[in-house]
C-alpha cells in the first residue's frame, strides 16, 4: 500500500508542515500560502492536495512521513494537534451530520449520513487503521514514524494564539516570515463545552480512548480526561523539540512495548 503524503514541504523555505485535518489545518495552509513567490489566484482551493502538489510552480510538494524524517535535519518541521475528543466530534459533525454524503473513504468504512455517534465509534473500532479516512486517523499516525515524533515543534489548537506566536518567532530567526495571526478558516462548532452531550457515559469515553488513547497520552498527558471532555483550560506548555523528544520516549515505553 502506498504511504500517505501527510507533510507539505516548502522547498525555498526548507519548511515542513505535518497536516492534521480538523486541527486548524485550513487556516495554517492559508498562512503558508503567503510564503509562495506567487499568490494563488482568487478562488483557488488552497486546501486541496492538488494545489500543494501541482499548482505552486514547483515551490512545494507533498511528502510521506518517511521522507519528512529524511528532511528533518535540513528543514524546520512543525504541526498542530487538537484535543482528540474535540477533533473526533468535529469530524463526526462535519462529515456525518452536516453533509449528505460522507467522503468516499468513510463510506467504504461503513459510515453513512446521520448515523448515531455511538455507531460511528463502533465503525471506527471495527475498521483496520489502513482503511481510515484521513479526518479520523489518530494524530499519532499522522505525525509519528516508529518511535519518533517527526515535527520538531508540536503546538496545540487550544493554545494556538500563544503557540503560533512562539512558532512565528522561531521561524523569524530562520528568515521565514509568516502571518502574525492565523486567518479563521472552516470554524464551525462554537459551543466550547458541548462535548459532554456526546460523551455522556463511560462506555462512550472508553470507546474514544480505545481509538485515540495514544493521542491523549502523547499530546495531552498533562491534563485529565475529564478536563479534555469539558474543554477546560489546559496547562501552559512549551511546544518545542524537547517536548517531542519526551513524546518519542513515551512511544517507546508504551506503544512499542505492549
Amino acid at each position: 500500500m502506498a504511504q500517505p503524503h501527510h507533510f507539505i514541504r516548502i522547498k525555498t523555505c526548507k519548511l515542513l508542515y505535518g497536516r492534521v485535518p480538523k486541527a486548524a489545518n485550513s487556516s495554517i495552509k492559508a498562512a503558508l500560502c503567503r510564503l509562495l513567490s506567487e499568490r494563488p489566484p482568487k478562488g483557488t482551493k488552497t486546501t486541496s492536495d492538488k494545489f500543494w502538489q501541482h499548482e505552486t510552480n514547483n515551490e512545494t510538494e507533498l511528502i510521506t512521513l518517511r521522507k519528512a524524517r529524511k528532511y528533518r535535519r535540513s528543514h524546520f518541521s512543525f504541526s498542530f494537534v487538537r484535543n482528540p475528543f474535540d477533533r473526533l466530534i468535529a469530524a463526526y459533525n462535519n462529515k456525518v451530520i452536516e453533509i449528505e454524503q460522507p467522503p468516499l473513504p468513510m463510506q467504504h468504512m461503513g459510515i453513512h449520513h446521520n448515523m448515531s455517534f455511538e455507531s460511528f465509534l463502533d465503525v471506527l473500532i471495527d475498521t483496520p487503521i489502513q482503511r481510515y479516512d484521513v479526518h479520523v486517523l489518530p494524530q499519532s499516525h499522522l505525525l509519528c514514524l516508529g518511535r519518533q515524533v517527526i515535527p520538531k515543534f508540536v503546538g496545540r489548537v487550544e493554545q494556538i494564539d500563544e503557540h503560533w506566536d512562539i512558532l512565528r518567532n522561531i521561524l523569524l530567526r530562520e528568515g521565514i516570515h509568516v502571518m502574525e495571526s492565523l486567518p479563521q478558516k472552516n470554524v464551525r462548532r462554537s459551543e466550547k463545552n458541548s462535548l459532554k452531550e456526546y460523551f455522556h457515559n463511560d462506555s462512550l469515553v472508553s470507546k474514544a480512548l480505545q481509538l485515540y488513547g495514544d493521542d491523549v497520552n502523547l499530546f495531552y498527558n498533562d491534563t485529565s480526561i475529564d478536563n479534555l471532555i469539558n474543554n477546560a483550560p489546559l496547562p501552559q506548555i512549551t511546544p518545542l523539540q524537547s517536548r517531542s523528544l519526551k513524546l518519542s520516549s513515551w512511544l517507546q515505553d508504551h506503544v512499542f512495548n505492549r
Side-chain angles (χ1 to χ4, degrees):
M1 184 181 69
Q3 290 292 312
H5 293 64
H6 294 313
F7 279 72
I8 294 174
R9 177 187 172 223
I10 302 180
K11 301 175 185 180
T12 52
C13 300
K14 293 189 174 181
L15 185 64
L16 301 177
Y17 164 51
R19 303 178 294 164
V20 176
K22 300 301 172 188
N25 185 39
S26 297
S27 297
I28 293 169
K29 286 177 179 175
L32 294 180
C33 279
R34 303 290 186 95
L35 299 176
L36 301 175
S37 58
E38 292 184 22
R39 298 284 176 85
K42 191 172 182 179
T44 301
K45 190 178 179 183
T46 59
T47 55
S48 71
D49 286 4
K50 180 184 176 185
F51 171 77
W52 293 98
Q53 186 67 38
H54 301 295
E55 299 176 2
T56 61
N57 298 314
N58 203 35
E59 291 184 48
T60 66
E61 63 176 336
L62 299 180
I63 61 175
T64 63
L65 264 170
R66 196 168 299 279
K67 196 166 184 180
R69 184 171 65 179
K70 290 182 179 179
Y71 282 119
R72 202 170 182 270
R73 288 187 178 181
S74 59
H75 290 53
F76 185 83
S77 50
F78 79 96
S79 188
F80 275 79
V81 293
R82 182 175 180 177
N83 172 349
F85 295 95
D86 201 25
R87 179 171 175 259
L88 178 62
I89 297 305
Y92 172 72
N93 279 336
N94 179 220
K95 304 302 180 185
V96 178
I97 302 301
E98 293 175 358
I99 60 179
E100 291 188 6
Q101 284 192 326
L104 275 176
M106 283 192 175
Q107 293 182 42
H108 293 156
M109 292 168 66
I111 293 169
H112 58 82
H113 178 58
N114 266 345
M115 71 190 307
S116 72
F117 179 58
E118 186 162 15
S119 297
F120 175 68
L121 289 179
D122 289 337
V123 168
L124 293 180
I125 289 171
D126 291 339
T127 302
I129 197 75
Q130 296 84 359
R131 292 178 52 206
Y132 268 39
D133 178 88
V134 67
H135 295 89
V136 290
L137 266 175
Q139 294 167 102
S140 55
H141 281 259
L142 294 167
L143 302 179
C144 301
L145 185 63
R147 299 186 176 109
Q148 186 176 28
V149 177
I150 298 304
K152 296 176 181 178
F153 178 107
V154 180
R156 296 201 292 209
V157 167
E158 296 77 22
Q159 296 155 308
I160 197 162
D161 290 340
E162 300 93 329
H163 290 182
W164 183 259
D165 191 51
I166 294 170
L167 175 64
R168 183 172 175 270
N169 287 328
I170 293 171
L171 293 178
L172 281 174
R173 292 197 292 271
E174 302 289 329
I176 303 171
H177 297 263
V178 295
M179 299 172 67
E180 288 190 25
S181 59
L182 287 172
Q184 296 293 307
K185 297 284 186 180
N186 292 352
V187 178
R188 291 183 174 86
R189 188 166 49 84
S190 59
E191 298 176 43
K192 285 292 184 182
N193 296 319
S194 63
L195 300 187
K196 271 288 189 183
E197 66 185 70
Y198 296 93
F199 299 103
H200 51 78
N201 62 50
D202 291 342
S203 173
L204 292 170
V205 174
S206 295
K207 288 180 179 183
L209 286 173
Q210 184 177 339
L211 295 163
Y212 300 111
D214 288 346
D215 285 359
V216 172
N217 286 316
L218 279 169
F219 305 115
Y220 290 86
N221 56 15
D222 56 344
T223 191
S224 68
I225 301 300
D226 283 344
N227 280 347
L228 290 174
I229 292 174
N230 285 312
N231 265 326
L234 296 171
Q236 293 298 318
I237 61 164
T238 303
L240 300 176
Q241 186 173 0
S242 58
R243 175 171 162 78
S244 295
L245 293 174
K246 291 178 183 177
L247 299 184
S248 300
S249 174
W250 186 94
L251 273 171
Q252 182 173 1
D253 292 342
H254 293 79
V255 177
F256 296 96
N257 292 331
R258 286 178 179 173

